[in-house]
Amino acid sequence: MDKPLILVVEDDNAVKNLIVTALETQSYRYLTAANGAQAVLCCATHRPDILLLDLGLPDMDGVEVIAKIRTWSALPIIVISARSEDSDKIDALDAGADDYLTKPFSVEELLARLRVTLRRLKSLEGAASADSVFVNGDLTVDYASGFATLRGEELHLTPIEYKLLCLLCRNVGKVLTHTYLTREIWGTAFDSDIASLRVFMATLRKKIQPRAQDAQFIQTHVGVGYRMVKL
Ligand code: CA
């Protein structure tokens, strides 16, 4: 991939300048938009590789921007929200955003998220040819045969643990919310399901990361959800 093109949608000039300066240090190409309508138009005309989207925009809700773009594009979307917009952040993830940054954030944090997203884009490009097997470090999931291995040894997973693992792997690099996961697994999203989800996630983790020195495949996002990290 050439240097990725990043669309920065932010109406606060100070934040926009911080982001743009950070992108310049990495020689990323970028475009900027200051409202939702411009963002949608710019996505359609310039086809950026990544969208960095502020949720509090003057003309429309960032979640609405995501919904519009998701009708025709799967480009990675990283949302930027203030702490007071925590529930918006979860709505944004459920609407199809891939990741989030909470204001105030550091330049290092921003660049790290971009690297995660770029790795994910690369792995998606590579996955087209070997779609039925997911490989991440020592972990392999053979979707077609329905089993997972760690260092070549078959993992003994319960059906729910396996389903959870598949959801995380198929969305590698993306933060999946509690609501998304419980809906996919049980078809509902009650608080009790979220409590069960935590239990299954803990047992799944013990199986795929049995030793203290094992790679941490699954990241916890407190109050939000989980992410499979591409190693
Ligand atoms: Ca704003």
Side-chain angles (χ1 to χ4, degrees):
M1 192 195 284
D2 294 339
K3 281 287 171 190
L5 178 62
I6 298 165
L7 173 59
V8 181
V9 183
E10 174 61 78
D11 61 319
D12 179 331
N13 267 326
V15 180
K16 185 192 77 187
N17 291 340
L18 172 81
I19 295 173
V20 161
T21 306
L23 298 180
E24 282 171 348
T25 65
Q26 305 300 309
S27 315
Y28 289 141
R29 296 179 298 139
Y30 63 87
L31 295 162
T32 59
N35 62 52
Q38 270 180 24
V40 174
L41 183 65
C42 204
C43 265
T45 49
H46 297 283
R47 302 281 166 162
D49 298 300
I50 298 175
L51 173 60
L52 275 176
L53 176 69
D54 175 32
L55 285 181
L57 293 169
D59 61 332
M60 68 172 103
D61 195 332
V63 176
E64 211 181 308
V65 175
I66 296 168
K68 281 185 197 288
I69 290 172
R70 276 289 175 259
T71 60
W72 47 267
S73 174
L75 96 158
I77 301 175
I78 302 173
V79 297
I80 301 170
S81 68
R83 288 211 188 277
S84 58
E85 298 161 337
D86 249 10
S87 62
D88 298 4
K89 177 169 82 189
I90 292 170
D91 289 346
L93 290 165
D94 281 332
D98 297 79
D99 202 352
Y100 62 88
L101 274 166
T102 306
K103 288 178 191 175
F105 54 85
S106 68
V107 166
E108 289 74 24
E109 232 181 311
L110 167 68
L111 294 177
R113 295 309 165 83
L114 287 173
R115 282 194 299 273
V116 166
T117 304
L118 288 169
R119 272 208 298 278
R120 173 161 179 252
L121 277 175
K122 281 217 182 84
S123 83
L124 289 178
E125 278 172 8
S129 53
D131 207 10
S132 63
V133 180
F134 171 84
V135 180
N136 193 7
D138 292 334
L139 178 70
T140 299
V141 180
D142 187 328
Y143 299 125
S145 311
F147 68 90
T149 62
L150 184 70
R151 291 183 280 276
E153 299 271 319
E154 184 170 351
L155 288 166
H156 298 287
L157 303 176
T158 65
I160 288 180
E161 288 164 356
Y162 181 70
K163 199 167 177 185
L164 254 180
L165 181 62
C166 288
L167 285 167
L168 290 162
C169 293
R170 285 194 187 278
N171 294 285
V172 63
K174 188 169 153 76
V175 178
L176 302 179
T177 63
H178 296 134
T179 313
Y180 173 83
L181 289 167
T182 55
R183 283 219 179 101
E184 287 293 316
I185 292 170
W186 294 289
T188 52
F190 299 118
D191 287 348
S192 57
D193 296 330
I194 294 174
S196 311
L197 178 66
R198 283 205 185 92
V199 174
F200 284 108
M201 200 57 87
T203 59
L204 173 63
R205 267 196 173 122
K206 268 189 202 132
K207 291 180 184 177
I208 67 170
Q209 307 165 174
R211 307 171 309 186
Q213 74 267 33
D214 283 330
Q216 301 290 304
F217 294 106
I218 303 172
Q219 237 176 31
T220 299
H221 291 251
V222 177
V224 178
Y226 302 92
R227 173 194 352 239
M228 168 68 63
V229 181
K230 178 70 188 160
L231 300 179

